[in-house]
Amino acid sequence: MSGTLALLAAVDRLYEAVVMQPEAWGPQAFSDWAEEVAAGGVTKDQARAVRRCLRAAERLRDFWEGDRAAVAADDWRTRVDVALGARAWRPALELAQAGLNDEPSPELFAEVQERFRVVNSQPWLEGMDYDTWRSSQGAV
């Protein structure tokens, strides 16, 4: 798994945790999460995107604390959408896009396609597969 894919998975796990169990996420839990992610090695641009995801996670936690958690949907992605919508997903999309430029792979291509659709409510390069995209980028 590439570094970017691992970061995206970590962000998804963070979002899921804070919307499903917001009471478990205090300042120390967020700090511990950030240290764990940084320990895996991140670039300056990745660190910036991760910090934006962390701020979104704090807002998600604040939104779902208290009575809202009892009436919310069971799906964590729906909870993210209800609380912040595209604003929560945008930093992760930017992280995926930067990763696709730095370490292109079919998996990152699929991540960008999916996250772009969620953020922009429209497909990205609809009908284009990874190999066609790589060819269009001048890569072999």
Side-chain angles (χ1 to χ4, degrees):
M1 179 184 297
S2 76
T4 301
L5 287 172
L7 284 174
L8 290 169
V11 168
D12 285 350
R13 286 190 306 273
L14 172 67
Y15 282 9
E16 180 178 12
V18 299
V19 300
M20 300 307 285
Q21 295 181 315
E23 66 282 352
W25 285 87
Q28 186 61 50
F30 284 116
S31 178
D32 291 346
W33 181 88
E35 285 180 27
E36 184 179 318
V37 167
V42 294
T43 67
K44 184 178 176 180
D45 290 337
Q46 288 172 332
R48 185 176 17 257
V50 167
R51 281 192 304 274
R52 290 182 59 214
C53 291
L54 194 55
R55 284 192 299 273
E58 290 170 339
R59 285 191 221 92
L60 289 166
R61 186 258 340 254
D62 293 346
F63 185 91
W64 289 112
E65 277 185 324
D67 296 337
R68 287 189 179 132
V71 297
D74 290 334
D75 178 59
W76 70 270
R77 286 179 170 87
T78 301
R79 286 183 179 218
V80 171
D81 288 338
V82 167
L84 295 179
R87 290 179 307 166
W89 300 113
R90 194 167 287 117
L93 169 61
E94 292 168 1
L95 182 61
Q97 288 171 319
L100 185 61
N101 287 333
D102 295 341
E103 50 183 313
S105 71
E107 296 82 12
L108 274 173
F109 183 81
E111 285 287 336
V112 171
Q113 282 187 312
E114 177 60 25
R115 291 171 190 273
F116 187 92
R117 185 192 57 73
V118 169
V119 170
N120 296 295
S121 300
Q122 62 184 2
W124 178 71
L125 302 179
E126 187 173 25
M128 185 178 284
D129 66 5
Y130 173 74
D131 292 330
T132 306
W133 173 78
R134 284 289 285 166
S135 295
S136 73
Q137 301 298 305
V140 177

